[in-house]
DNA sequence: GTGGTCTAGACCACC
DNA sequence: GTGGTCTAGACCACC
């Protein structure tokens, strides 16, 4: 993983886990890396990882069992909320960026439809 | 400016100028910051800035006059190409991310339309 | 190789490769020296070699495969353009130098013909 | 002046004076820079300049008057010989380079004639 | 002041 | 091993 300097690293760690949960790469009950493992792999300070894990715990995304490890523990409802929240972020960013390039909203819609077709064709080739 | 660790800094500098040119914040003939000025402001090494400026020169985005400075020098045609190219990047990223969150293409279109309305209301408030 | 102080070293490196390609000493697909090898042999800084290689990449003279090396990758058309461009440089330099020595153009032609004969005889001796 | 690393600097100094004499930029009786002046301007070791001047003296290109300076002192005959010698160098280099680019001698002649015409047109524009 | 070249050396990613 | 990025700093040429 690479970290963006613009946002606190612990938040980026949380985002990373959110994405993995939403995509189904991490499911309820899965054990995630220990704080020490994560810190070593990502070459960041263990304290930073600890803060991320603690916040995820308080957000009910994970559950930490003393001496055993940290496990995904998110409810189906919260997962759906996460998904919606991340989509909103994407949508907002996309709308504002396209406008700042000078495309009006209906143009953007049309271009999006074309892109979706294009990406489907790319997939079909694989 | 903050720089993302995931992409080379010199490319992020170039992207920054591309955006400013597309948005009309920088026009043909405008003088941009000297390499040293930019480097000091952004707290990066002058060599990194120079690499960005040099690549922009070879892309015909700017013209560099030794001992004088660096000036925006992009043709209207190239500006349009830049705009299209940046839009394609945004579109592709957006389509793939929404799919990875599990939204199908028609859902995405609908959500986009709703977001555009929402963003318009935000604007109206300002 | 020895480098001339009058021209940047990285340009002289590029010129050297241009000549080798035109003369057929380097063909499409050939691997050229790694940046470190070249730098050690020529006793120059690897960064200087890299700049030359990078520019050759952007001129489509070579293709660079990260972790593998750099390979000649020039089209037949571009090779012909290179050849013409280098010939023009030689011709221009030669014409201007002869004039600055006070030879008029027809004298120069006559002397050239004589020189060609002389060089042919030298060759025949070898 | 810039010096080429491939040849001894003192020889390059001599070549420089030869050219200036042939072109008439330096005439019999003209005073040339003192050794110290030359060394400072060119940022080279005074000993190197001294060697060049000594050799020019022995070639009868200049005359040194103790306590007064060094003066051009070349005979008309020697000037002509110099001129011929430099032309031969140019011719040889040109013939060999064009051949190494794969042009045969008659092609070279034709291209030279075209270049002479082109350079005349450039001159006329000025 | 401006940009241009080069070195030395660190650290990274890919193979 | 390969190439890629970045810093620090020297020195140059042009204005």
């Amino acid at each position: 993983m690479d970290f963006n300097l613009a946002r606190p690293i612990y938040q980026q760690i949380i985002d990373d886990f959110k994405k993995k949960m939403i995509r189904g790469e991490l499911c309820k009950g899965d054990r995630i890396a220990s704080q020490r493992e994560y810190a070593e792999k990502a070459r960041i300070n263990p304290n930073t990882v600890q803060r991320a894990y603690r916040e995820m715990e308080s957000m009910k995304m994970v559950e930490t069992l003393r001496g055993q490890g940290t496990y995904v523990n998110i409810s189906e409802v919260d997962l759906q909320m996460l998904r919606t929240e991340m989509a909103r972020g994407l949508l907002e960013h996309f709308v504002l960026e396209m406008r700042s390039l000078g495309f009006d909203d209906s143009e953007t819609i049309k271009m999006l439809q074309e892109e979706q077709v294009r990406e489907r064709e790319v997939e079909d080739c694989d």
Side-chain angles (χ1 to χ4, degrees), chain A residues 39 44-52 54:
Chain A
I44 55 183
N45 194 302
N47 290 326
T48 304
V49 180
Q50 190 181 34
R51 173 153 186 201
R54 215 187 309 131

Side-chain angles (χ1 to χ4, degrees), chain A residues 52-106:
Chain A
Y53 277 38
R54 215 187 309 131
E55 303 240 346
M56 289 197 291
E57 175 103 40
S58 72
M59 292 155 90
K60 313 264 186 217
M61 284 172 61
V62 299
E63 185 179 29
T64 295
L65 302 180
R66 281 253 178 143
Q68 291 187 46
T70 303
Y71 296 84
V72 176
N73 186 33
I74 191 171
S75 72
E76 192 50 40
V77 175
D78 287 345
L79 240 190
Q80 284 314 315
M81 278 181 48
L82 265 193
R83 186 172 170 252
T84 310
E85 176 195 296
M86 296 200 72
R88 274 242 39 220
L90 278 173
L91 283 158
E92 180 177 337
H93 176 256
F94 178 66
V95 167
L96 297 181
E97 286 288 310
M98 288 299 285
R99 285 187 188 166
S100 92
L101 289 183
F103 294 100
D104 70 32
D105 289 347
S106 56

